[in-house]
Amino acid sequence: METFIGKPIKRREDARFLKGAGTYTDDIKLPKMAHTAFVRSPYAHAKILSIDTSEAEKSEGVIAIYTGSDGCGEYGVPCGWQVDFKNGETMREPKHPLLAKDKIRHLGEAVAIVVAETLAQARDAAELVEVDYEELPAVTDAKAAMETGAPKVHDEWPDNAAFDWCIGNDRAEVEAALASAHHVTEMEYRNQRLAPNAIEPRSYIADYDVNGDKWTLYTSTQNPHLIRLLLCAFVLGIPEHKVRVVSKDVGGGFGSKIYHYTEEALLTWISREIGRPVKWTSDRSEAFLTDAHGRDHVVKSRMGFDKDGKIVAHLTDEYCAMGAYLSTFAPAVPTYLHGTLFQGVYTTPLIHLNVTAPFTHTVAVDAYRGAGRPEATYLLERMLSKAAKEMGMDPAEIRFKNFIPPFDGVNEPGYQTQVALQYDSGNYKGVLKRGLEMLGYEDFRKEQEAARKNGKLLGVGISTYIEGCGIAPSAVVGSLGARAGLYEVGHVRVQPTGKVQVLTGAHSHGQGHETVFAQFVADKLGIAMDDVEIEHGDTDQVAFGMGTYGSRSLAVGGSAIIKSIDKILEKGAKIAAHKLEAAEEDLEYAEGKWTVKGTDKSISFGDVSLTAYVPHDYPEGLEPGLDFSSFYDPTNFTYPFGTHIAVVEVDADTGKVDLQRFVACDDVGNVMNPMIVEGQIHGGVVQGVGQALLEEVVYDGGGQMISGSYMDYAMPRADDVPNIETDRTTTPCPHNPLGVKGAGEAGAIGSTPAVVNAVVDALSHLGVTDIQMPLTPQRVWKAIQAQT
């Protein structure tokens, strides 16, 4: 029997995507569907003095116009994670209105929505809506927002702090260790704000059925059930059984489509008001203004070392922007997804992180590919490389000195960090050793030295990362402020003919679930992949699941499916034993059939499934059918890790960085489909390179976004990235049945500091010690000029 796990099988879903036959929300056309256009604020902070819709209402095709003074004004979108202040004060959670009524708090905030027969008519009418604003001072910088006298985002509180938080050892103890350290490395920098830029913009269609008193919301989301829960229980007060949320094909998310946005709730409310389906699809300009952004940390850090280069203490203070309102998972990002990774892969004995999370007059900041872990890795890996230079050590050597020793989490317990987490398994020396071999590190250093003599600026940058994936378990995250469980559901339905339908609460937006899930299901059952169908994205079909984010799909969603398969095989064995007139314990299951051990007596999976549904000759007292649903709530995160190494050449005359080589050796546990894992790594690396060299959301002092299009926001292109050289080590996760760890975010976590380290290494002999991201030609050129 053919096996499928570990095979580079081409993605089955690509057949429809490559033919243009995918079904994205914007592709859906319903009878009598109306279209919408928003009136959005041109200011970041302003009072709304008046809104006049009279001329717009006369415009051709207009069905209705709504403002915050209408019925929708009473509703607001909630936050899904609560992080309270260190002193015990409750997190400040402002109402996030569906339409702003009295005050604007970020550029692009919606003040009105026009509903019309066509999109063109809606847009034309929106231009006729007259809004009188009184512009107010704005603050867009996270640190500046906490200064005395800064413009307030929400007047009801004494300052702009949403919360503050800390983790690790006692601050005084860490300060004392730094004071007595042989060497202290310091850094101050900004981990810049990024726009997610999924290829498919957000899109929603709400359809109210007056006869059934039910709603269907078609939405480009990563987690349909969570959207339904928030929409029904916390916004509109609709009974959940009256709302169906459907998310078919989704063209990328990177975290930005996790959240419950105001537009989803508003369109749902409008569909009942007008008694017709209503649609909104963001254009790219709206996406820049309204999709939740990522990163935006202002960091000051100190790391102390002994005379041998061993880390003795690490202390960091951060200002982490929340934006004008708290997005669904925003408070968790700079705290429990960030501070808990401050150990990295190193035996740091003392750690303290202090976070202040201010409101700013900007769009909300939430999880973006990696969600807190890239920010932690960037800090650690830049600090290690900077310290190595200052102490006259090789950047690989200082890492080897500080690595946590290898452990498998089976024969010895996982590694307990200073920042709450216990790592599952890891061999961090192994991935760095392999990465250096792939690069030919010693030979490169010789080449670099020779190149410098000829005026050529070559550099190499190392980054060895770890991340926490598959956020878990529910009881733990609940105690930390999560307002939802983080389990997953897997429903396996065997048809009478032995064909299998799998319904999963995980959601695919480019990961290849339809292929990978079918691989391990077929492998486990010993049947053909073509006999397995994967369904997701419809709350009327799938039991309550938590969707896809945090690289959780296989580790959590796949484990739920395995639990259901185990139940099917257990029940199937009872039926097989009855048919074969043997004891269950005398049967073994392999290659799609139950066999009596030591004999040639067997019965196939298909025959057992048919018997389950045609139970004429059937075990007494056993229910018919072969259909099980299971929930899996993980006992820990999974912890993939790896080494990324970048080689660059810098043009001294222009400051342009040429990324010449990129080596990635990752350990994501057991691998179901190496081709898909490699693709995930490639995609993540490109996004990480984008942050290092190109991407930045920039607001001016008045809160205007001056990088709100692809004319000003630079995205990586094919010629910005070389062929990415990949390899893997395998350290299985000991606590989930597949032994997998997660791969979706790894590339974006390890790559950014590798590239920046490489550029600084190329210029280090000139005296350059740091350059702020993104490392644009102008910034690199200025850094060179400052040293010459």
Side-chain angles (χ1 to χ4, degrees):
M1 173 70 69
E2 183 182 3
T3 58
F4 304 103
I5 289 178
K7 300 287 183 65
I9 295 170
K10 291 182 178 180
R11 301 196 327 173
R12 55 164 64 174
E13 49 266 70
D14 285 350
R16 68 176 183 275
F17 294 145
L18 293 171
K19 292 187 291 186
T23 304
Y24 298 93
T25 302
D26 192 59
D27 294 327
I28 297 169
K29 294 177 175 58
L30 303 178
K32 297 183 66 179
M33 185 168 69
H35 298 264
T36 60
F38 282 94
V39 179
R40 299 191 180 275
S41 169
Y43 302 109
H45 191 202
K47 290 181 181 178
I48 302 172
L49 302 180
S50 65
I51 303 176
D52 185 353
T53 63
S54 57
E55 288 301 313
E57 289 167 358
K58 301 173 187 176
S59 187
E60 182 181 0
V62 170
I63 299 167
I65 300 176
Y66 299 99
T67 71
S69 297
D70 295 308
C72 58
E74 66 182 271
Y75 301 112
V77 173
C79 178
W81 199 298
Q82 181 176 328
V83 176
D84 291 335
F85 285 81
K86 291 180 291 186
N87 65 7
E89 181 186 345
T90 301
M91 179 180 79
R92 296 167 182 170
E93 187 174 351
K95 178 181 178 180
H96 188 178
L98 305 190
L99 291 171
K101 182 178 180 181
D102 301 311
K103 185 176 268 193
I104 293 299
R105 293 184 172 86
H106 71 84
L107 182 71
E109 187 169 7
V111 299
I113 184 171
V114 176
V115 186
E117 296 292 347
T118 70
L119 178 58
Q121 289 170 340
R123 287 176 171 171
D124 287 345
E127 292 183 2
L128 299 176
V129 175
E130 294 185 4
V131 185
D132 187 12
Y133 299 96
E134 178 187 333
E135 187 178 6
L136 300 171
V139 60
T140 60
D141 178 86
K143 186 176 181 180
M146 292 305 300
E147 294 175 357
T148 302
K152 285 187 185 179
V153 181
H154 299 281
D155 293 331
E156 58 264 43
W157 292 297
D159 58 39
N160 283 320
F163 60 87
D164 58 31
W165 179 87
C166 66
I167 195 171
N169 306 96
D170 179 73
R171 186 181 184 109
E173 186 180 5
V174 179
E175 291 271 18
L178 288 168
S180 61
H182 172 75
H183 175 79
V184 176
T185 289
E186 300 185 15
M187 282 188 67
E188 290 189 47
Y189 66 92
R190 179 186 301 278
N191 200 300
Q192 81 271 31
R193 178 181 286 245
L194 302 176
N197 282 307
I199 193 169
E200 177 207 20
R202 290 189 291 123
S203 182
Y204 312 124
I205 302 171
D207 182 15
Y208 176 68
D209 175 13
V210 65
N211 296 315
D213 189 29
K214 293 188 70 172
W215 289 259
T216 299
L217 174 65
Y218 300 92
T219 172
S220 54
T221 184
Q222 299 175 212
N223 43 359
H225 282 98
L226 183 61
I227 298 304
R228 188 184 67 177
L229 174 64
L230 294 172
L231 175 73
C232 293
F234 298 100
V235 184
L236 298 180
I238 303 171
E240 277 188 271
H241 68 285
K242 289 186 174 293
V243 175
R244 176 190 180 197
V245 175
V246 180
S247 181
K248 293 182 179 289
D249 292 322
V250 174
F254 315 122
S256 71
K257 292 176 182 173
I258 297 172
Y259 326 118
H260 182 29
Y261 288 92
T262 56
E263 292 91 351
E264 287 169 308
L266 182 58
L267 263 68
T268 302
W269 180 84
I270 289 172
S271 67
R272 182 175 182 178
E273 290 293 305
I274 67 172
R276 293 173 58 175
V278 60
K279 176 181 184 178
W280 173 75
T281 298
S282 169
D283 62 29
R284 190 58 63 183
S285 294
E286 283 182 298
F288 271 105
L289 295 176
T290 65
D291 290 3
H293 291 162
R295 316 288 192 250
D296 203 356
H297 291 194
V298 179
V299 182
K300 182 177 182 179
S301 187
R302 290 181 288 157
M303 185 177 283
F305 298 82
D306 66 16
K307 60 182 176 57
D308 296 320
K310 288 276 289 181
I311 305 169
V312 297
H314 182 202
L315 176 67
T316 299
D317 292 288
E318 297 191 19
Y319 294 91
C320 304
M322 291 288 100
Y325 303 100
L326 295 178
S327 181
T328 307
F329 286 137
V333 175
T335 57
Y336 296 110
L337 299 181
H338 177 60
T340 53
L341 268 297
F342 260 53
Q343 187 91 37
V345 292
Y346 309 112
T347 56
T348 308
L350 294 169
I351 300 169
H352 184 87
L353 167 66
N354 182 69
V355 168
T356 301
F359 294 110
T360 53
H361 289 109
T362 65
V363 73
V365 179
D366 209 318
Y368 170 71
R369 201 171 193 167
R373 288 94 85 196
E375 297 93 313
T377 298
Y378 184 81
L379 172 59
L380 293 172
E381 296 308 298
R382 283 290 296 121
M383 290 286 273
L384 263 291
S385 289
K386 189 170 187 284
K389 179 65 177 177
E390 292 169 351
M391 299 176 72
M393 297 177 64
D394 185 88
E397 177 191 1
I398 199 170
R399 288 170 169 82
F400 280 122
K401 280 179 177 288
N402 285 284
F403 278 144
I404 296 165
F407 62 102
D408 63 14
V410 177
N411 298 305
E412 67 280 303
Y415 183 84
Q416 182 60 53
T417 72
Q418 305 296 319
V419 280
L421 299 181
Q422 185 179 74
Y423 298 160
D424 53 3
S425 60
N427 181 0
Y428 313 125
K429 292 182 179 179
V431 288
L432 179 53
K433 181 181 177 182
R434 178 61 188 132
L436 296 173
E437 290 172 352
M438 292 168 66
L439 181 73
Y441 185 69
E442 296 301 329
D443 290 339
F444 174 81
R445 284 300 189 190
K446 295 174 184 176
E447 178 188 348
Q448 180 187 39
E449 188 62 32
R452 281 179 175 172
K453 293 176 182 177
N454 295 320
K456 191 176 181 181
L457 301 177
L458 293 181
V460 60
I462 296 171
S463 167
T464 304
Y465 74 91
I466 189 169
E467 62 160 323
C469 293
I471 307 171
S474 292
V476 172
V477 297
S479 70
L480 301 179
R483 293 169 173 171
L486 295 178
Y487 51 81
E488 196 48 82
V489 67
H491 184 176
V492 180
R493 179 181 297 152
V494 182
Q495 308 293 351
T497 56
K499 312 305 180 186
V500 176
Q501 184 183 33
V502 177
L503 299 102
T504 174
H507 191 279
S508 177
H509 42 282
Q511 296 90 339
H513 291 175
E514 294 171 39
T515 301
V516 176
F517 285 13
Q519 283 183 250
F520 73 77
V521 170
D523 213 88
K524 183 79 171 175
L525 292 175
I527 61 178
M529 271 187 67
D530 286 345
D531 290 345
V532 181
E533 179 184 41
I534 309 297
E535 298 284 349
H536 61 86
D538 188 334
T539 60
D540 269 11
Q541 286 189 334
V542 182
F544 196 103
M546 290 305 297
T548 292
Y549 43 85
S551 303
R552 71 191 301 269
S553 295
L554 263 180
V556 185
S559 295
I561 294 169
I562 288 292
K563 285 184 69 175
S564 290
I565 290 174
D566 289 342
K567 293 174 184 177
I568 283 166
L569 292 176
E570 181 182 356
K571 183 175 182 179
K574 297 181 185 300
I575 300 170
H578 176 82
K579 297 289 285 185
L580 294 170
E581 299 180 334
E584 284 182 58
E585 57 269 24
D586 291 335
L587 299 183
E588 57 185 3
Y589 187 81
E591 298 185 343
K593 60 185 177 182
W594 284 269
T595 302
V596 180
K597 296 175 185 176
T599 75
D600 59 358
K601 292 179 61 179
S602 65
I603 184 170
S604 71
F605 180 77
D607 286 339
V608 165
S609 62
L610 183 61
T611 301
Y613 289 96
V614 187
H616 299 160
D617 181 13
Y618 204 66
E620 186 176 349
L622 190 66
E623 293 181 2
L626 208 51
D627 188 324
F628 287 98
S629 187
S630 302
F631 289 82
Y632 177 79
D633 200 356
T635 58
N636 193 0
F637 290 79
T638 68
Y639 299 92
F641 57 92
T643 287
H644 289 184
I645 305 175
V647 172
V648 302
E649 181 179 355
V650 178
D651 188 319
D653 295 326
T654 66
K656 187 177 187 306
V657 175
D658 177 23
L659 181 59
Q660 295 190 331
R661 289 185 68 187
F662 197 95
V663 167
C665 181
D666 299 278
D667 193 316
V668 298
N670 292 335
V671 170
M672 300 293 106
N673 186 317
M675 181 174 63
I676 288 179
V677 167
E678 187 171 352
Q680 290 272 33
I681 299 297
H682 282 202
V685 165
V686 172
Q687 283 187 272
V689 170
Q691 175 170 14
L693 300 179
L694 300 163
E695 299 183 45
E696 183 176 20
V697 171
V698 180
Y699 289 96
D700 69 13
Q704 292 296 315
M705 186 186 293
I706 56 177
S707 58
S709 77
Y710 291 147
M711 294 295 290
D712 302 293
Y713 189 96
M715 295 278 284
R717 299 179 298 184
D719 60 354
D720 291 314
V721 184
N723 179 51
I724 299 168
E725 305 163 53
T726 61
D727 199 2
R728 294 187 307 276
T729 62
T730 302
T731 310
C733 174
H735 62 75
N736 69 57
L738 291 168
V740 297
K741 290 193 171 187
E745 296 164 289
I749 292 170
S751 58
T752 306
V755 173
V756 176
N757 281 338
V759 175
V760 173
D761 181 67
L763 307 178
S764 60
H765 64 295
L766 304 177
V768 174
T769 61
D770 190 35
I771 305 173
Q772 295 293 303
M773 295 190 292
L775 276 63
T776 60
Q778 182 186 39
R779 287 181 179 172
V780 175
W781 182 84
K782 283 185 174 181
I784 295 170
Q785 296 306 306
Q787 302 299 326
T788 56

